[in-house]
Amino acid sequence: MSEKVSINPRENGPYLVKNLTLLSNSRGESIACEETMALCRCGQSSNKPFCDGTHKQVGFSSASQADGGRRRDYVGKQITIHDNRRICAHAGKCTDGLPSVWRMGEKPWIDPDGGTVEDIVRVIGQCPSGALSYTLSDGTGPEPAADASIEIAENGPYCVSGPVELGVESWGEGASRNRYTLCRCGASKNKPFCDGSHWDSGFRDERN
């Protein structure tokens, strides 16, 4: 029986990851895993994605400045789209993938009848943060990912999927426990979760 995969965000320090076997960079290349690894989350390690102790030198704080936010439900004829903006990583998969449903600058910004159910389900399946989910008219929702993995987004967060136990007490309303994004730039106001602050902070990681 395989060991449980877990992530423990250390206070003012790195993510302590145990028993992970699937770690990849933004190019889809595998990164060798150890039984226990410390992944940088201050954004300033010289050995990204691994911690090199820089968080102590720069005075990194892991304190969250926001709550997890509330979920809004957009009810359509065949599908209800659930959305929690506070935990969104702003990857743009929804607005780029189906702009007739996710409508920038319009109110309400989500139209659950603006696309086919199949297309909506497909696009929500690409949301790395778990901010988006859905319930079909028959009461079913997304299928959980079976394999525990972490993919490093280009100049962005750690994208976690599968059965990975995250050592936090507070989650956003409706947040997925099977798919979420963790801040690695150090600037998120909703730590340990990504809130898209890497875009404004100019975070770069050419290596990963």
Side-chain angles (χ1 to χ4, degrees), residues 92-121:
K93 301 293 186 181
C94 55
T95 51
D96 292 343
L98 203 55
S100 62
V101 173
W102 286 274
R103 310 173 301 171
M104 293 292 291
E106 296 191 38
K107 292 185 178 182
W109 89 283
I110 295 179
D111 177 9
D113 296 319
T116 67
V117 170
E118 292 77 12
D119 283 342
I120 292 172
V121 168

Side-chain angles (χ1 to χ4, degrees), residues 36-207:
T36 300
M37 302 180 293
L39 298 184
C40 172
R41 68 166 171 154
C42 74
Q44 300 187 52
S45 170
S46 297
N47 189 35
K48 299 182 186 69
F50 303 106
C51 171
D52 68 354
T54 300
H55 58 276
K56 298 178 181 178
Q57 302 171 21
V58 300
F60 169 71
S61 172
S62 59
S64 176
Q65 302 171 41
D67 59 40
R70 298 190 63 81
R71 187 184 78 177
R72 294 193 62 182
D73 302 326
Y74 298 84
V75 182
K77 296 175 182 177
Q78 296 179 291
I79 189 171
T80 296
I81 299 174
H82 312 294
D83 177 46
N84 185 333
R85 290 292 82 204
R86 189 64 60 78
I87 57 175
C88 175
H90 300 282
K93 301 293 186 181
C94 55
T95 51
D96 292 343
L98 203 55
S100 62
V101 173
W102 286 274
R103 310 173 301 171
M104 293 292 291
E106 296 191 38
K107 292 185 178 182
W109 89 283
I110 295 179
D111 177 9
D113 296 319
T116 67
V117 170
E118 292 77 12
D119 283 342
I120 292 172
V121 168
R122 173 182 55 79
V123 170
I124 289 179
Q126 298 172 357
C127 172
S129 68
L132 292 173
S133 59
Y134 65 85
T135 302
L136 299 176
S137 56
D138 63 3
T140 59
E143 289 290 329
D147 296 323
S149 67
I150 297 178
E151 179 182 338
I152 300 172
E154 183 177 7
N155 301 319
Y158 298 109
C159 301
V160 183
S161 64
V164 180
E165 183 177 285
L166 180 63
V168 298
E169 296 181 359
S170 178
W171 293 76
E173 183 181 5
S176 170
R177 302 298 204 272
N178 192 257
R179 182 176 40 142
Y180 47 88
T181 48
L182 297 177
C183 173
R184 72 181 184 106
C185 72
S188 173
K189 296 178 177 61
N190 190 32
K191 297 183 183 77
F193 301 102
C194 171
D195 67 357
S197 291
H198 53 276
W199 295 105
D200 297 327
S201 68
F203 174 70
R204 308 292 296 178
D205 178 9
E206 305 297 339
R207 179 177 177 180

